[in-house]
Amino acid sequence: MWESNHNKRNIGSATLQFAKMREQLIIISERERILKERSADREAYRYLLDAYRLAVLHSDCTEDVVNNSRTRTGEGNQLAA
């Protein structure tokens, strides 16, 4: 009888330990998922920031070319209407 009660307690204790371990694994998995999402968000932000910087740089260069061509064009270079 003592062995039966002792075995039941051991099984109950092992079940409780497995439940705790499973809970910890779920928590760890959730933390990993959140960290991956944050990392992906940061990567997307960096990509968009780089794209914005390139667009601004490109637009500044384009404006310089357009502005330079406008200032260099004199009345003699224009076509008659």
Side-chain angles (χ1 to χ4, degrees):
M1 176 116 173
W2 179 82
E3 288 180 16
S4 175
N5 287 339
H6 183 68
N7 287 339
K8 286 181 184 176
R9 271 190 250 148
N10 284 344
I11 291 172
S13 176
T15 304
L16 183 61
Q17 286 178 345
F18 284 131
K20 286 181 180 179
M21 288 174 60
R22 185 169 188 261
E23 184 180 336
Q24 289 175 348
L25 287 174
I26 289 170
I27 291 170
I28 290 170
S29 296
E30 185 66 16
R31 287 179 181 166
E32 287 177 344
R33 183 188 64 78
I34 290 170
L35 290 173
K36 286 178 184 177
E37 284 179 5
R38 287 182 184 170
S39 178
D41 287 345
R42 282 190 207 115
E43 190 65 28
Y45 176 77
R46 285 186 193 122
Y47 174 79
L48 291 174
L49 187 59
D50 286 345
Y52 174 76
R53 287 177 180 159
L54 288 173
V56 168
L57 179 65
H58 180 69
S59 70
D60 285 347
C61 290
T62 305
E63 285 177 15
D64 288 344
V65 169
V66 170
N67 288 338
N68 285 339
S69 66
R70 285 182 187 162
T71 57
R72 289 182 186 167
T73 306
E75 289 183 26
N77 293 339
Q78 294 179 352
L79 294 174

